Structure formats: C-alpha cells, structure tokens
Amino acid sequence: MSFSIKNHCLDGASFIASPNFNQRPQGTVIDLIVIHNISLPPKQFGGPAIIDFFTNELDVPQDPYFNTIKELKVSAHLLVRRTGEVIQFVGFDQRAWHAGQSFYQRREDCNDFSIGIELEGSDDIPYEMIQYEVLSQICQVLIQHYPAISSDRIVGHSDIAPVRKTDPGPAFDWQLLKQLLDEKN
C-alpha cells in the first residue's frame, strides 16, 4: 500500500466526513501524532459502530455500552482497521476532536497541533501486523508532509492525558513501530 497527502487528505484512504471538527487556531503548526485505540462495542471488531460514532449516527439500542457514549461528539483524523483499511474522517488541516483535555511538553489542548490516528483495537488485545505496517507508512508520509513532526513526536493518548486515558495500551508494540519507521529511513 502506498500513501501520499493531497489537499490535507491521505490519498489511499476512504473519506467519510465527520461533523466533529473545527478550525485549528490561526498559525498553528502541526507537530504531533497521537495514537489511540477504539473498538465498539468494546473489544469487538469489524462492525460499523466506529464510523457511526464518529459521524454522530450511532445506533444506541444495538448495545448497552452505546448508551454511555451517545452524547459524546468525537472524531479522529484517521482510523486504521484491523484489516489495514484506512478511513479518514477529518482533513489534517482541521482540528479533529480526539485528544480531549490534554497536554504535551507544557502545551495544552493537543487537538490544536496534533493528528489523531485511531487503531481498531483494545489496550490488552494484540494489534495486527498489518496495522503496524500501515501505521508506519502513514506516519512516514505525515513526517514528510508536515516537517515539524518527527518520529520522536509520535505519542500515545496515554502520554498526553495520563490520568484519563490508557490507550493505545500495553498491547501496543512501540518498539515494532519504531523499527518499521527506522526501516523506511
């Protein structure tokens, strides 16, 4: 799979527009990638619920868990499915609502200056090799396109919201991602 960026969108990804975004503050430099995980219902993979959630179309009666998140308005720039399929919800030049209350290196509101990438997964279930391969390719393209991002500015949601969040969790292999990124350099 080969990716490129055109008009702040990942060429090679499907695009499904989320209404959950706004403008980045004027003059903001994109300089951080935040890795998340998501599965809806929790620890179930492959259904439409993630897309429905990010587009405010979640079918709440389908699962009792959905009642706990039905009022949330969230999105991410990208979702990497367990199959390696990539879906984009928000253009990279826009502010996706993925990080919530967050801080990184004494800067608050990481949504302002970051790109959020969701992996279909759970903290304690190993991710698929194809997800690491696709994620590393995406990160490399983002690093090339947005020069303020470097490989040491790829963090987990748990790094920017440590009291609130645990994702991408202990099942995420940071060493493998680093190795794959190093191979591309």
Side-chain angles (χ1 to χ4, degrees):
M1 189 173 290
S2 177
F3 297 108
S4 62
I5 296 176
K6 294 180 183 165
N7 298 318
H8 301 284
C9 287
L10 188 67
D11 192 32
S14 303
F15 190 89
I16 300 173
S18 173
N20 304 325
F21 73 95
N22 57 1
Q23 300 296 314
R24 294 183 188 271
Q26 187 76 22
T28 297
V29 174
I30 299 168
D31 64 3
L32 188 68
I33 296 172
V34 180
I35 308 298
H36 304 262
N37 74 38
I38 189 168
S39 57
L40 292 174
K43 299 185 181 188
Q44 294 182 35
F45 308 125
I50 297 170
I51 294 169
D52 295 346
F53 183 50
F54 286 166
T55 58
N56 301 336
E57 296 177 4
L58 192 61
D59 187 2
V60 175
Q62 288 294 318
D63 190 275
Y65 177 76
F66 295 168
N67 207 36
T68 68
I69 62 171
K70 66 182 180 185
E71 300 299 325
L72 297 177
K73 304 292 184 213
V74 298
S75 63
H77 292 94
L78 300 173
L79 167 66
V80 180
R81 293 262 196 199
R82 295 186 77 77
T83 60
E85 175 191 9
V86 182
I87 302 169
Q88 184 159 4
F89 295 93
V90 176
F92 299 129
D93 59 329
Q94 303 293 318
R95 184 180 187 268
W97 301 346
H98 62 95
Q101 186 176 4
S102 54
F103 63 92
Y104 185 72
Q105 295 182 341
R106 297 186 300 261
R107 291 167 64 197
E108 294 185 5
D109 299 321
C110 295
N111 284 338
D112 290 349
F113 54 90
S114 67
I115 291 172
I117 302 175
E118 294 275 2
L119 299 177
E120 185 177 31
S122 179
D123 285 9
D124 55 356
I125 297 173
Y127 296 87
E128 301 294 335
M129 186 62 189
I130 188 70
Q131 289 180 289
Y132 289 105
E133 292 167 352
V134 168
L135 178 61
S136 69
Q137 292 173 20
I138 291 168
C139 288
Q140 193 62 41
V141 167
L142 290 171
I143 289 167
Q144 290 169 358
H145 194 80
Y146 300 99
I149 299 174
S150 59
S151 61
D152 64 332
R153 297 190 62 81
I154 302 171
V155 300
H157 199 186
S158 58
D159 296 315
I160 64 168
V163 175
R164 293 185 313 108
K165 297 296 180 178
T166 58
D167 58 314
F172 187 78
D173 189 340
W174 286 102
Q175 282 302 113
L176 176 57
L177 177 61
K178 181 179 178 352
Q179 176 186 337
L180 291 169
L181 286 170
D182 288 346
E183 288 174 4
K184 295 190 184 337
N185 287 329

